[in-house]
Amino acid sequence: MNNMFTTPADIQRHLDSLGLFHMDMGLGRMRRALAALSLTRPPFVVAQVLGTNGKGSTSAFLASLAMAHGCRVGLYTSPHFVSPTERIRIGGPEHGVCAPWPAESWVESANQVMAVAPDLTYFEFLTVLALLVFAREGVELAVLEAGLGGRHDATTAVAADLLCYAPIALDHRDIIGPTLADIAADKAAAIRGPAPVCSVAQFPDAANALDVAARAHKAPLIKASPIAAGSRLGLNGPHQRTNAGLALAAWQQLAPLLHKNAHDAQAQTHGLAQAFMPGRLQRLPGVDGLLPPLLLDGAHNPHGMAALIKALRADGLKPAGAVFSCLADKDWLPAAQMLKHYLGEAPMFVITLDNHRAAAAEDIVEACNSLPPATAQALPQGPQALAQALTLAQAVPEASEARPILMTGSLYLLSEFFTLHPQGLLQPQARQA
């Protein structure tokens, strides 16, 4: 078969043709592709990270812990903000950072995937590509963040040595079930063998689903505890103590498989302090004439918004205003009203995302302003909406480093921001642990 791709742009065009949100449930295509590439049981240790809120943060902590202990790590996360290259990262102890696998290196592996599996969906294609790249680059541990659910998620088609469950909450109800019990059962269905399962404390329906699935497969179920308050973490907010604790519990199970010391306190401290994931309570300094001081967070449902507001309260932080938008198929109404209530008199600038799933700014504003005072303002829909919102936010007199403008409601809102300001995606200068 002739190569389909000769440049990274060819790959991007193919991905665009597949549709970012197109789904075709079932693992048959994935299993055939992995078998053809001898990746059903990869030549590296695999940790699969599932849940609703905190998957990306847990994955970042786990990858950082492994690198701090001397491992070469592959990190696969989603969604991306600007480029699909953000989803496939490789890092090692020499740098302590998982960097995007450069686009110019994708072509050969992408052609290999297409040769054996031309029918993969967007997420399936990238999942197989990530596993192939990780194998070719000799990673020792791959950390795979599930995309949606668990039963039919592409990451479930590959053999896993450990599963991590971040908090499970209501999300994607139209796809994987209307109730928390339905959603938890779907995510728990990723438990497919006796590999250890690490989980944070869950809502009762979710805890029960995980317990039933783990028992059915004789998989040890390890309950992770939050990291002690006061520990230095690379990601901000008290909720990150839960995600870091989950990653640490997972690392202690994985370390023996990787011939590493599971209880190296210095490496643990360093790894937890160096973790980085953009858009998680991320502070960006103001830029005169361009940007106000910003606090970016991807909270997109009531559980995530509650964690965000708890983190703000813990820091005594009252944003001077907010830029907000969300997807219509998320549980956005209570999340938006929670934020509006916390902001009080501060203005809320609302845009309609450039996304066919977007909630209309006018609908969000109507719901928010039903809680007085009426400080939410809808921006005209269009490509300049976010830039206009940032201009208005910059003019808020109270905006300062101490009282930044909060941007939240959807990772896709942050995607629009990072497209305009990609420097925000870069990991800050490595912090001293």
Side-chain angles (χ1 to χ4, degrees):
M1 178 177 178
N2 293 329
N3 287 343
M4 180 175 181
F5 309 122
T6 56
T7 68
D10 294 335
I11 302 172
Q12 185 62 61
R13 280 190 288 271
H14 175 66
L15 290 172
D16 292 342
S17 75
L18 296 177
L20 179 61
F21 299 110
H22 173 68
M23 288 175 286
D24 190 352
M25 295 298 194
L27 296 179
R29 292 177 303 278
M30 279 295 301
R31 287 173 174 150
R32 289 190 293 273
L34 295 177
L37 294 168
S38 301
L39 289 171
T40 303
R41 170 65 271 184
F44 43 76
V45 174
V46 173
Q48 184 186 20
V49 182
L50 306 105
T52 304
N53 295 311
K55 290 182 299 180
S57 297
T58 299
S59 299
F61 278 122
L62 181 53
S64 188
L65 280 166
M67 287 188 290
H69 285 80
C71 288
R72 183 165 173 79
V73 179
L75 177 60
Y76 178 61
T77 60
S78 63
H80 62 269
F81 288 118
V82 178
S83 164
T85 57
E86 298 164 37
R87 298 182 182 224
I88 302 175
R89 298 171 178 260
I90 296 176
E94 65 277 11
H95 300 300
V97 173
C98 272
W101 190 238
E104 57 270 20
S105 301
W106 281 42
V107 172
E108 183 179 354
S109 295
N111 277 314
Q112 197 171 346
V113 174
M114 281 296 292
V116 301
D119 58 342
L120 296 175
T121 67
Y122 189 109
F123 188 73
E124 290 171 344
F125 180 89
L126 289 176
T127 303
V128 176
L129 179 64
L131 292 166
L132 182 59
V133 167
F134 293 162
R136 295 179 68 164
E137 294 302 312
V139 308
E140 299 165 86
L141 170 67
V143 180
L144 308 179
E145 179 190 355
L148 186 151
R151 187 188 308 276
H152 299 298
D153 192 80
T155 60
T156 300
V158 65
D161 298 285
L162 177 135
L163 285 76
C164 282
Y165 280 91
I168 297 172
L170 287 172
D171 208 4
H172 299 295
R173 288 184 293 180
D174 56 330
I175 300 171
I176 56 178
T179 70
L180 180 59
D182 294 324
I183 291 166
D186 186 275
K187 293 179 187 290
I191 300 173
R192 52 203 181 273
V197 177
C198 296
S199 175
V200 301
Q202 301 281 359
F203 292 117
D205 282 346
N208 180 65
L210 295 178
D211 185 61
V212 169
R215 288 177 183 273
H217 291 280
K218 297 181 170 56
L221 182 57
I222 296 114
K223 304 294 177 65
S225 299
I227 293 292
S231 301
R232 261 189 103 174
L233 301 179
L235 301 174
N236 298 317
H239 59 288
Q240 294 294 359
R241 296 195 294 111
T242 297
N243 299 325
L246 176 58
L248 184 56
W251 171 251
Q252 289 170 345
Q253 296 293 314
L254 292 167
L257 302 179
L258 295 158
H259 310 291
K260 304 296 182 183
N261 179 1
H263 304 287
D264 183 335
Q266 184 176 356
Q268 288 178 12
T269 299
H270 182 77
L272 294 175
Q274 295 296 313
F276 174 72
M277 182 67 68
R280 276 70 173 179
L281 272 175
Q282 179 185 6
R283 280 184 173 269
L284 290 179
V287 180
D288 286 344
L290 184 62
L291 286 176
L294 289 170
L295 180 64
L296 312 179
D297 193 77
H300 60 274
N301 55 30
H303 186 273
M305 190 60 69
L308 168 58
I309 292 173
K310 182 178 179 181
L312 296 176
R313 289 189 194 280
D315 284 345
L317 183 58
K318 200 68 174 286
V323 176
F324 183 87
S325 194
C326 56
L327 297 180
D329 56 5
K330 300 293 184 181
D331 193 12
W332 63 264
L333 177 58
Q337 290 186 329
M338 289 163 66
L339 175 61
K340 172 66 166 55
H341 177 72
Y342 186 72
L343 289 173
E345 300 281 345
M348 186 172 174
F349 306 107
V350 183
I351 72 167
T352 303
L353 291 171
D354 183 19
N355 188 304
H356 73 276
R357 295 162 58 198
E362 292 77 9
D363 294 340
I364 301 169
V365 166
E366 181 180 1
C368 287
N369 284 343
S370 67
L371 302 175
T375 55
Q377 173 184 343
L379 277 294
Q381 187 171 355
Q384 297 302 314
L386 178 55
Q388 292 170 8
L390 288 168
T391 298
L392 290 171
Q394 194 169 16
V396 173
E398 295 81 5
S400 64
E401 299 295 338
R403 294 194 64 194
I405 298 295
L406 173 65
M407 183 180 294
T408 190
S410 175
L411 289 174
Y412 294 98
L413 172 61
L414 302 191
S415 175
E416 292 191 16
F417 172 79
F418 285 126
T419 299
L420 296 174
H421 303 282
Q423 68 276 12
L425 291 170
L426 302 177
Q427 182 161 357
Q429 186 68 28
R431 294 170 289 272
Q432 295 301 314

mmCIF file of all heavy atoms in Angstrom, residues 115-155:
data_model
loop_
_atom_site.group_PDB
_atom_site.id
_atom_site.type_symbol
_atom_site.label_atom_id
_atom_site.label_comp_id
_atom_site.label_asym_id
_atom_site.label_seq_id
_atom_site.Cartn_x
_atom_site.Cartn_y
_atom_site.Cartn_z
ATOM 1 N N ALA A 115 -2.013 1.705 7.110
ATOM 2 C CA ALA A 115 -1.841 0.504 6.289
ATOM 3 C C ALA A 115 -2.601 -0.685 6.854
ATOM 4 O O ALA A 115 -3.073 -1.549 6.099
ATOM 5 C CB ALA A 115 -0.348 0.172 6.176
ATOM 6 N N VAL A 116 -2.747 -0.753 8.172
ATOM 7 C CA VAL A 116 -3.412 -1.912 8.786
ATOM 8 C C VAL A 116 -4.832 -1.605 9.232
ATOM 9 O O VAL A 116 -5.635 -2.524 9.440
ATOM 10 C CB VAL A 116 -2.605 -2.450 9.995
ATOM 11 C CG1 VAL A 116 -1.206 -2.862 9.556
ATOM 12 C CG2 VAL A 116 -2.538 -1.441 11.130
ATOM 13 N N ALA A 117 -5.159 -0.313 9.398
ATOM 14 C CA ALA A 117 -6.472 0.035 9.941
ATOM 15 C C ALA A 117 -6.956 1.377 9.388
ATOM 16 O O ALA A 117 -6.944 2.390 10.095
ATOM 17 C CB ALA A 117 -6.420 0.070 11.463
ATOM 18 N N PRO A 118 -7.394 1.418 8.142
ATOM 19 C CA PRO A 118 -7.834 2.687 7.550
ATOM 20 C C PRO A 118 -9.205 3.145 8.044
ATOM 21 O O PRO A 118 -9.639 4.251 7.696
ATOM 22 C CB PRO A 118 -7.879 2.369 6.047
ATOM 23 C CG PRO A 118 -8.125 0.888 5.981
ATOM 24 C CD PRO A 118 -7.408 0.307 7.161
ATOM 25 N N ASP A 119 -9.885 2.328 8.840
ATOM 26 C CA ASP A 119 -11.268 2.624 9.231
ATOM 27 C C ASP A 119 -11.404 3.159 10.652
ATOM 28 O O ASP A 119 -12.515 3.256 11.179
ATOM 29 C CB ASP A 119 -12.127 1.364 9.094
ATOM 30 C CG ASP A 119 -11.613 0.201 9.941
ATOM 31 O OD1 ASP A 119 -10.429 0.245 10.361
ATOM 32 O OD2 ASP A 119 -12.383 -0.749 10.170
ATOM 33 N N LEU A 120 -10.307 3.541 11.293
ATOM 34 C CA LEU A 120 -10.367 3.992 12.679
ATOM 35 C C LEU A 120 -11.013 5.377 12.794
ATOM 36 O O LEU A 120 -10.876 6.213 11.905
ATOM 37 C CB LEU A 120 -8.956 4.056 13.277
ATOM 38 C CG LEU A 120 -8.202 2.723 13.388
ATOM 39 C CD1 LEU A 120 -6.780 2.971 13.881
ATOM 40 C CD2 LEU A 120 -8.921 1.751 14.317
ATOM 41 N N THR A 121 -11.678 5.623 13.925
ATOM 42 C CA THR A 121 -12.202 6.952 14.219
ATOM 43 C C THR A 121 -11.055 7.869 14.652
ATOM 44 O O THR A 121 -9.913 7.422 14.843
ATOM 45 C CB THR A 121 -13.254 6.902 15.333
ATOM 46 O OG1 THR A 121 -12.607 6.517 16.562
ATOM 47 C CG2 THR A 121 -14.373 5.927 15.012
ATOM 48 N N TYR A 122 -11.371 9.137 14.839
ATOM 49 C CA TYR A 122 -10.369 10.146 15.243
ATOM 50 C C TYR A 122 -9.623 9.690 16.499
ATOM 51 O O TYR A 122 -8.383 9.624 16.519
ATOM 52 C CB TYR A 122 -11.105 11.462 15.502
ATOM 53 C CG TYR A 122 -10.254 12.693 15.717
ATOM 54 C CD1 TYR A 122 -10.198 13.688 14.751
ATOM 55 C CD2 TYR A 122 -9.529 12.887 16.887
ATOM 56 C CE1 TYR A 122 -9.432 14.837 14.945
ATOM 57 C CE2 TYR A 122 -8.766 14.026 17.084
ATOM 58 C CZ TYR A 122 -8.731 15.001 16.107
ATOM 59 O OH TYR A 122 -7.980 16.124 16.303
ATOM 60 N N PHE A 123 -10.373 9.385 17.563
ATOM 61 C CA PHE A 123 -9.738 9.030 18.831
ATOM 62 C C PHE A 123 -9.029 7.681 18.728
ATOM 63 O O PHE A 123 -7.939 7.501 19.285
ATOM 64 C CB PHE A 123 -10.778 9.003 19.952
ATOM 65 C CG PHE A 123 -10.191 8.824 21.323
ATOM 66 C CD1 PHE A 123 -9.506 9.855 21.953
ATOM 67 C CD2 PHE A 123 -10.316 7.616 22.005
ATOM 68 C CE1 PHE A 123 -8.959 9.696 23.219
ATOM 69 C CE2 PHE A 123 -9.772 7.444 23.276
ATOM 70 C CZ PHE A 123 -9.097 8.490 23.876
ATOM 71 N N GLU A 124 -9.617 6.744 17.991
ATOM 72 C CA GLU A 124 -8.968 5.443 17.818
ATOM 73 C C GLU A 124 -7.641 5.585 17.072
ATOM 74 O O GLU A 124 -6.631 4.978 17.464
ATOM 75 C CB GLU A 124 -9.904 4.501 17.054
ATOM 76 C CG GLU A 124 -11.114 4.062 17.842
ATOM 77 C CD GLU A 124 -12.124 3.310 16.992
ATOM 78 O OE1 GLU A 124 -12.037 3.386 15.740
ATOM 79 O OE2 GLU A 124 -13.001 2.653 17.572
ATOM 80 N N PHE A 125 -7.641 6.370 16.014
ATOM 81 C CA PHE A 125 -6.418 6.567 15.238
ATOM 82 C C PHE A 125 -5.301 7.111 16.120
ATOM 83 O O PHE A 125 -4.163 6.605 16.105
ATOM 84 C CB PHE A 125 -6.701 7.521 14.068
ATOM 85 C CG PHE A 125 -5.519 7.805 13.185
ATOM 86 C CD1 PHE A 125 -5.244 7.006 12.093
ATOM 87 C CD2 PHE A 125 -4.661 8.869 13.449
ATOM 88 C CE1 PHE A 125 -4.145 7.264 11.276
ATOM 89 C CE2 PHE A 125 -3.571 9.132 12.650
ATOM 90 C CZ PHE A 125 -3.311 8.320 11.553
ATOM 91 N N LEU A 126 -5.614 8.145 16.906
ATOM 92 C CA LEU A 126 -4.585 8.741 17.755
ATOM 93 C C LEU A 126 -4.146 7.785 18.858
ATOM 94 O O LEU A 126 -2.976 7.767 19.252
ATOM 95 C CB LEU A 126 -5.098 10.048 18.357
ATOM 96 C CG LEU A 126 -5.247 11.205 17.363
ATOM 97 C CD1 LEU A 126 -5.852 12.419 18.049
ATOM 98 C CD2 LEU A 126 -3.903 11.575 16.735
ATOM 99 N N THR A 127 -5.060 6.962 19.362
ATOM 100 C CA THR A 127 -4.700 6.000 20.403
ATOM 101 C C THR A 127 -3.725 4.964 19.865
ATOM 102 O O THR A 127 -2.700 4.667 20.497
ATOM 103 C CB THR A 127 -5.960 5.311 20.958
ATOM 104 O OG1 THR A 127 -6.872 6.294 21.451
ATOM 105 C CG2 THR A 127 -5.599 4.357 22.088
ATOM 106 N N VAL A 128 -4.028 4.406 18.700
ATOM 107 C CA VAL A 128 -3.121 3.424 18.101
ATOM 108 C C VAL A 128 -1.786 4.073 17.751
ATOM 109 O O VAL A 128 -0.712 3.503 17.983
ATOM 110 C CB VAL A 128 -3.759 2.778 16.851
ATOM 111 C CG1 VAL A 128 -2.776 1.827 16.178
ATOM 112 C CG2 VAL A 128 -5.035 2.025 17.231
ATOM 113 N N LEU A 129 -1.846 5.292 17.203
ATOM 114 C CA LEU A 129 -0.614 6.002 16.858
ATOM 115 C C LEU A 129 0.244 6.212 18.103
ATOM 116 O O LEU A 129 1.464 6.002 18.070
ATOM 117 C CB LEU A 129 -0.953 7.340 16.213
ATOM 118 C CG LEU A 129 0.235 8.218 15.803
ATOM 119 C CD1 LEU A 129 1.058 7.536 14.718
ATOM 120 C CD2 LEU A 129 -0.253 9.585 15.308
ATOM 121 N N ALA A 130 -0.373 6.626 19.209
ATOM 122 C CA ALA A 130 0.378 6.844 20.443
ATOM 123 C C ALA A 130 1.065 5.557 20.894
ATOM 124 O O ALA A 130 2.256 5.563 21.239
ATOM 125 C CB ALA A 130 -0.554 7.356 21.538
ATOM 126 N N LEU A 131 0.352 4.455 20.889
ATOM 127 C CA LEU A 131 0.932 3.189 21.337
ATOM 128 C C LEU A 131 2.088 2.756 20.429
ATOM 129 O O LEU A 131 3.116 2.257 20.902
ATOM 130 C CB LEU A 131 -0.148 2.108 21.373
ATOM 131 C CG LEU A 131 -1.220 2.310 22.457
ATOM 132 C CD1 LEU A 131 -2.420 1.416 22.199
ATOM 133 C CD2 LEU A 131 -0.646 2.056 23.839
ATOM 134 N N LEU A 132 1.932 2.965 19.122
ATOM 135 C CA LEU A 132 3.001 2.605 18.193
ATOM 136 C C LEU A 132 4.224 3.484 18.412
ATOM 137 O O LEU A 132 5.363 2.986 18.449
ATOM 138 C CB LEU A 132 2.487 2.747 16.757
ATOM 139 C CG LEU A 132 3.473 2.368 15.648
ATOM 140 C CD1 LEU A 132 3.928 0.920 15.786
ATOM 141 C CD2 LEU A 132 2.835 2.598 14.270
ATOM 142 N N VAL A 133 4.012 4.788 18.581
ATOM 143 C CA VAL A 133 5.129 5.704 18.841
ATOM 144 C C VAL A 133 5.816 5.341 20.159
ATOM 145 O O VAL A 133 7.056 5.304 20.239
ATOM 146 C CB VAL A 133 4.629 7.163 18.863
ATOM 147 C CG1 VAL A 133 5.687 8.096 19.435
ATOM 148 C CG2 VAL A 133 4.229 7.609 17.464
ATOM 149 N N PHE A 134 5.046 5.048 21.196
ATOM 150 C CA PHE A 134 5.641 4.690 22.484
ATOM 151 C C PHE A 134 6.502 3.437 22.352
ATOM 152 O O PHE A 134 7.586 3.355 22.940
ATOM 153 C CB PHE A 134 4.548 4.460 23.528
ATOM 154 C CG PHE A 134 3.765 5.691 23.912
ATOM 155 C CD1 PHE A 134 2.529 5.586 24.540
ATOM 156 C CD2 PHE A 134 4.249 6.970 23.644
ATOM 157 C CE1 PHE A 134 1.799 6.709 24.897
ATOM 158 C CE2 PHE A 134 3.531 8.107 23.993
ATOM 159 C CZ PHE A 134 2.300 7.972 24.618
ATOM 160 N N ALA A 135 6.027 2.463 21.574
ATOM 161 C CA ALA A 135 6.807 1.232 21.391
ATOM 162 C C ALA A 135 8.091 1.516 20.626
ATOM 163 O O ALA A 135 9.172 1.024 20.980
ATOM 164 C CB ALA A 135 5.960 0.191 20.657
ATOM 165 N N ARG A 136 7.993 2.333 19.588
ATOM 166 C CA ARG A 136 9.176 2.626 18.767
ATOM 167 C C ARG A 136 10.192 3.460 19.523
ATOM 168 O O ARG A 136 11.400 3.356 19.273
ATOM 169 C CB ARG A 136 8.745 3.349 17.490
ATOM 170 C CG ARG A 136 7.887 2.487 16.581
ATOM 171 C CD ARG A 136 7.450 3.218 15.350
ATOM 172 N NE ARG A 136 8.583 3.488 14.469
ATOM 173 C CZ ARG A 136 8.472 3.831 13.197
ATOM 174 N NH1 ARG A 136 7.272 3.948 12.652
ATOM 175 N NH2 ARG A 136 9.522 4.073 12.468
ATOM 176 N N GLU A 137 9.713 4.276 20.454
ATOM 177 C CA GLU A 137 10.609 5.161 21.191
ATOM 178 C C GLU A 137 11.082 4.570 22.513
ATOM 179 O O GLU A 137 11.778 5.234 23.274
ATOM 180 C CB GLU A 137 9.921 6.499 21.442
ATOM 181 C CG GLU A 137 9.661 7.288 20.175
ATOM 182 C CD GLU A 137 10.954 7.574 19.405
ATOM 183 O OE1 GLU A 137 11.934 8.021 20.041
ATOM 184 O OE2 GLU A 137 10.975 7.346 18.185
ATOM 185 N N GLY A 138 10.711 3.352 22.787
ATOM 186 C CA GLY A 138 11.259 2.644 23.938
ATOM 187 C C GLY A 138 10.825 3.166 25.291
ATOM 188 O O GLY A 138 11.616 3.162 26.243
ATOM 189 N N VAL A 139 9.559 3.599 25.408
ATOM 190 C CA VAL A 139 9.112 4.027 26.730
ATOM 191 C C VAL A 139 8.994 2.804 27.643
ATOM 192 O O VAL A 139 8.775 1.687 27.191
ATOM 193 C CB VAL A 139 7.769 4.799 26.679
ATOM 194 C CG1 VAL A 139 7.825 5.923 25.673
ATOM 195 C CG2 VAL A 139 6.601 3.883 26.395
ATOM 196 N N GLU A 140 9.141 3.048 28.929
ATOM 197 C CA GLU A 140 8.988 1.974 29.918
ATOM 198 C C GLU A 140 7.581 1.933 30.498
ATOM 199 O O GLU A 140 7.087 0.867 30.888
ATOM 200 C CB GLU A 140 9.996 2.173 31.061
ATOM 201 C CG GLU A 140 11.447 2.135 30.605
ATOM 202 C CD GLU A 140 12.374 2.687 31.672
ATOM 203 O OE1 GLU A 140 12.774 1.906 32.556
ATOM 204 O OE2 GLU A 140 12.670 3.904 31.622
ATOM 205 N N LEU A 141 6.942 3.093 30.575
ATOM 206 C CA LEU A 141 5.595 3.204 31.107
ATOM 207 C C LEU A 141 4.768 4.101 30.193
ATOM 208 O O LEU A 141 5.215 5.192 29.827
ATOM 209 C CB LEU A 141 5.614 3.814 32.517
ATOM 210 C CG LEU A 141 4.258 4.221 33.104
ATOM 211 C CD1 LEU A 141 3.389 2.986 33.378
ATOM 212 C CD2 LEU A 141 4.442 5.032 34.391
ATOM 213 N N ALA A 142 3.572 3.642 29.834
ATOM 214 C CA ALA A 142 2.620 4.475 29.106
ATOM 215 C C ALA A 142 1.451 4.780 30.030
ATOM 216 O O ALA A 142 0.856 3.869 30.613
ATOM 217 C CB ALA A 142 2.117 3.762 27.856
ATOM 218 N N VAL A 143 1.136 6.053 30.164
ATOM 219 C CA VAL A 143 -0.016 6.505 30.948
ATOM 220 C C VAL A 143 -1.075 6.933 29.944
ATOM 221 O O VAL A 143 -0.878 7.889 29.195
ATOM 222 C CB VAL A 143 0.357 7.673 31.882
ATOM 223 C CG1 VAL A 143 -0.865 8.127 32.679
ATOM 224 C CG2 VAL A 143 1.492 7.264 32.814
ATOM 225 N N LEU A 144 -2.198 6.212 29.919
ATOM 226 C CA LEU A 144 -3.235 6.422 28.922
ATOM 227 C C LEU A 144 -4.492 6.977 29.590
ATOM 228 O O LEU A 144 -5.132 6.283 30.393
ATOM 229 C CB LEU A 144 -3.585 5.106 28.214
ATOM 230 C CG LEU A 144 -2.434 4.293 27.620
ATOM 231 C CD1 LEU A 144 -2.968 3.016 26.984
ATOM 232 C CD2 LEU A 144 -1.647 5.111 26.599
ATOM 233 N N GLU A 145 -4.854 8.193 29.258
ATOM 234 C CA GLU A 145 -6.087 8.780 29.768
ATOM 235 C C GLU A 145 -7.248 8.364 28.871
ATOM 236 O O GLU A 145 -7.227 8.606 27.661
ATOM 237 C CB GLU A 145 -5.987 10.307 29.804
ATOM 238 C CG GLU A 145 -7.261 10.967 30.312
ATOM 239 C CD GLU A 145 -7.289 12.476 30.130
ATOM 240 O OE1 GLU A 145 -6.272 13.048 29.695
ATOM 241 O OE2 GLU A 145 -8.337 13.079 30.422
ATOM 242 N N ALA A 146 -8.261 7.748 29.453
ATOM 243 C CA ALA A 146 -9.443 7.362 28.687
ATOM 244 C C ALA A 146 -10.135 8.614 28.158
ATOM 245 O O ALA A 146 -10.094 9.684 28.769
ATOM 246 C CB ALA A 146 -10.393 6.554 29.556
ATOM 247 N N GLY A 147 -10.805 8.460 27.031
ATOM 248 C CA GLY A 147 -11.498 9.589 26.440
ATOM 249 C C GLY A 147 -12.904 9.750 26.975
ATOM 250 O O GLY A 147 -13.278 10.776 27.522
ATOM 251 N N LEU A 148 -13.729 8.707 26.809
ATOM 252 C CA LEU A 148 -15.131 8.771 27.210
ATOM 253 C C LEU A 148 -15.563 7.403 27.729
ATOM 254 O O LEU A 148 -15.399 6.388 27.050
ATOM 255 C CB LEU A 148 -15.992 9.190 26.020
ATOM 256 C CG LEU A 148 -17.481 9.453 26.255
ATOM 257 C CD1 LEU A 148 -17.998 10.491 25.256
ATOM 258 C CD2 LEU A 148 -18.295 8.175 26.131
ATOM 259 N N GLY A 149 -16.088 7.387 28.943
ATOM 260 C CA GLY A 149 -16.566 6.128 29.509
ATOM 261 C C GLY A 149 -15.435 5.162 29.793
ATOM 262 O O GLY A 149 -14.346 5.565 30.215
ATOM 263 N N GLY A 150 -15.689 3.901 29.546
ATOM 264 C CA GLY A 150 -14.686 2.877 29.806
ATOM 265 C C GLY A 150 -14.941 1.625 28.994
ATOM 266 O O GLY A 150 -14.045 1.059 28.386
ATOM 267 N N ARG A 151 -16.201 1.196 28.951
ATOM 268 C CA ARG A 151 -16.543 -0.061 28.270
ATOM 269 C C ARG A 151 -16.067 -0.070 26.824
ATOM 270 O O ARG A 151 -15.492 -1.059 26.351
ATOM 271 C CB ARG A 151 -18.051 -0.273 28.334
ATOM 272 C CG ARG A 151 -18.526 -1.618 27.803
ATOM 273 C CD ARG A 151 -20.049 -1.672 27.709
ATOM 274 N NE ARG A 151 -20.689 -1.295 28.960
ATOM 275 C CZ ARG A 151 -20.908 -2.129 29.977
ATOM 276 N NH1 ARG A 151 -20.526 -3.393 29.871
ATOM 277 N NH2 ARG A 151 -21.510 -1.692 31.080
ATOM 278 N N HIS A 152 -16.344 1.017 26.094
ATOM 279 C CA HIS A 152 -16.014 1.075 24.675
ATOM 280 C C HIS A 152 -14.890 2.049 24.370
ATOM 281 O O HIS A 152 -14.636 2.346 23.196
ATOM 282 C CB HIS A 152 -17.257 1.474 23.870
ATOM 283 C CG HIS A 152 -18.400 0.513 23.993
ATOM 284 N ND1 HIS A 152 -18.319 -0.793 23.576
ATOM 285 C CD2 HIS A 152 -19.643 0.669 24.526
ATOM 286 C CE1 HIS A 152 -19.469 -1.401 23.820
ATOM 287 N NE2 HIS A 152 -20.285 -0.543 24.401
ATOM 288 N N ASP A 153 -14.221 2.567 25.381
ATOM 289 C CA ASP A 153 -13.162 3.534 25.120
ATOM 290 C C ASP A 153 -11.983 2.846 24.432
ATOM 291 O O ASP A 153 -11.607 1.721 24.780
ATOM 292 C CB ASP A 153 -12.684 4.178 26.423
ATOM 293 C CG ASP A 153 -11.808 5.384 26.143
ATOM 294 O OD1 ASP A 153 -12.370 6.452 25.850
ATOM 295 O OD2 ASP A 153 -10.575 5.239 26.186
ATOM 296 N N ALA A 154 -11.381 3.543 23.476
ATOM 297 C CA ALA A 154 -10.290 2.947 22.699
ATOM 298 C C ALA A 154 -9.142 2.482 23.583
ATOM 299 O O ALA A 154 -8.485 1.476 23.286
ATOM 300 C CB ALA A 154 -9.792 3.953 21.664
ATOM 301 N N THR A 155 -8.894 3.183 24.688
ATOM 302 C CA THR A 155 -7.777 2.793 25.555
ATOM 303 C C THR A 155 -8.044 1.474 26.272
ATOM 304 O O THR A 155 -7.117 0.857 26.795
ATOM 305 C CB THR A 155 -7.487 3.885 26.602
ATOM 306 O OG1 THR A 155 -8.648 4.091 27.422
ATOM 307 C CG2 THR A 155 -7.112 5.199 25.935
#
